[in-house]
Amino acid sequence: MAGTLKRLAGPAFLASSAANIYTPAASTIYTVIRHIHIANVTAGAVTFSLYVGATGGSAAGTQLFEAHSIPARSEFDYYCVLRMASTDFLTGLASAATSLVITVEGEQGVV
């Protein structure tokens, strides 16, 4: 299964309180996030924050992005190589619910 490309999450709305976006697979699987796409589907600017860490987490020091603003009807793309262990969750929130749609893509392999 090494290098299996997948859509890991979404498309789905970001909630207005911290929630899991990507939940890790089994302990025998690791994930590499390659692309995070966020679309603002509203007529106003909206901010988002993303974190890597505990389930439902939004702890200081675990931010990938903090209150990053996306203009009205715009998109944000983040290309990366972010290795996620079986204990790492990608969590996040938006300043307004049902405003930002997130999609996460990557690949998974066997530990």
Side-chain angles (χ1 to χ4, degrees):
M1 183 164 113
T4 302
L5 296 173
K6 296 183 81 170
R7 184 177 65 219
L8 302 171
F13 282 120
L14 276 173
S16 58
S17 60
N20 294 339
I21 297 164
Y22 165 74
T23 300
S27 62
T28 57
I29 305 294
Y30 71 90
T31 300
V32 178
I33 293 175
R34 299 279 184 182
H35 178 218
I36 299 172
H37 177 84
I38 302 174
N40 182 346
V41 296
T42 68
V46 180
T47 64
F48 74 91
S49 298
L50 294 179
Y51 306 84
V52 173
T55 180
S58 60
T62 64
Q63 301 95 330
L64 288 176
F65 297 94
E66 180 67 33
H68 186 84
S69 184
I70 301 180
R73 307 221 186 282
S74 295
E75 299 174 358
F76 170 86
D77 286 290
Y78 177 59
Y79 294 93
C80 58
V81 180
L82 182 61
R83 190 178 196 280
M84 306 285 281
S86 63
T87 56
D88 292 330
F89 290 77
L90 178 66
T91 61
L93 64 133
S95 60
T98 66
S99 298
L100 300 179
V101 177
I102 187 167
T103 306
V104 181
E105 300 168 310
E107 57 188 90
Q108 292 183 318
V110 177
V111 174

